[in-house]
Amino acid sequence: MLTISNNVTLADWEIDISQIRAQGAGGQNVNKVASAVHLRFDILSSTLPPRYKERLMALSDQRISKEGVVIIKAQSHRKLELNKEDALARLKELIQSATQQQKVRRATKPTKGSQRRRVDHKTRKGKTKSLRGKVPTS
């Protein structure tokens, strides 16, 4: 069982975890030990509340396919158990991040002082740059 929040949990049958061989450097041990983990989670056929499903499907995350399957590959640890825990933690983090409300942005105007400072800085820069020109020879 994976606990997402106080009233939302995912059963073990909803999450498909398979062992794969890790990629990258590691010598002979990498070639003979399947310690990396592929986690697959189907959003649409899960028991998540509809609000969670809508938000997850609306995310533009590369880990979520068009069909609504979350695919997470964990291979940062040498032990299979640690990679499983890492993959489950990343799935939990992804679902929790989708459910958080974004703060509404209100447009503001720059203050008079900041506008004045900006223009003063531009004029000072312009004067500095104008002095970089060729020196008149007479």
Side-chain angles (χ1 to χ4, degrees):
M1 294 268 289
L2 180 65
T3 306
I4 305 299
S5 65
N6 291 338
N7 53 0
V8 178
T9 57
L10 293 176
D12 291 335
W13 62 266
E14 296 182 83
I15 302 169
D16 179 35
I17 297 177
S18 57
Q19 300 174 11
I20 57 171
R21 287 190 180 153
Q23 294 177 330
Q28 293 176 350
N29 199 45
V30 161
N31 298 329
K32 66 181 182 181
V33 178
S35 62
V37 168
H38 239 193
L39 180 143
R40 297 176 74 81
F41 173 70
D42 191 1
I43 298 169
L44 300 176
S45 67
S46 69
T47 58
L48 284 174
R51 189 182 86 227
Y52 281 59
K53 290 181 184 182
E54 290 170 10
R55 293 232 175 140
L56 278 170
M57 291 302 290
L59 278 180
S60 60
D61 196 309
Q62 65 184 12
R63 296 174 289 186
I64 302 173
S65 68
K66 292 176 185 170
E67 295 81 31
V69 178
V70 178
I71 301 171
I72 296 176
K73 183 178 182 182
Q75 62 177 8
S76 58
H77 302 287
R78 289 181 64 147
K79 294 192 176 187
L80 179 69
E81 295 80 25
L82 292 176
N83 282 329
K84 280 184 184 179
E85 290 174 13
D86 182 38
L88 289 171
R90 284 164 43 192
L91 176 65
K92 181 178 178 178
E93 181 183 321
L94 175 69
I95 295 172
Q96 286 177 340
S97 69
T99 59
Q100 291 177 348
Q101 284 280 353
Q102 292 293 323
K103 201 173 185 181
V104 178
R105 186 187 179 282
R106 292 187 182 88
T108 58
K109 290 182 180 179
T111 61
K112 292 277 187 190
S114 68
Q115 288 176 345
R116 197 175 306 116
R117 284 190 297 274
R118 184 181 134 270
V119 172
D120 290 345
H121 180 71
K122 282 169 68 87
T123 54
R124 268 187 274 124
K125 265 300 196 206
K127 286 178 186 174
T128 304
K129 287 187 175 193
S130 67
L131 294 173
R132 291 182 190 160
K134 288 190 175 183
V135 178
T137 54
S138 40

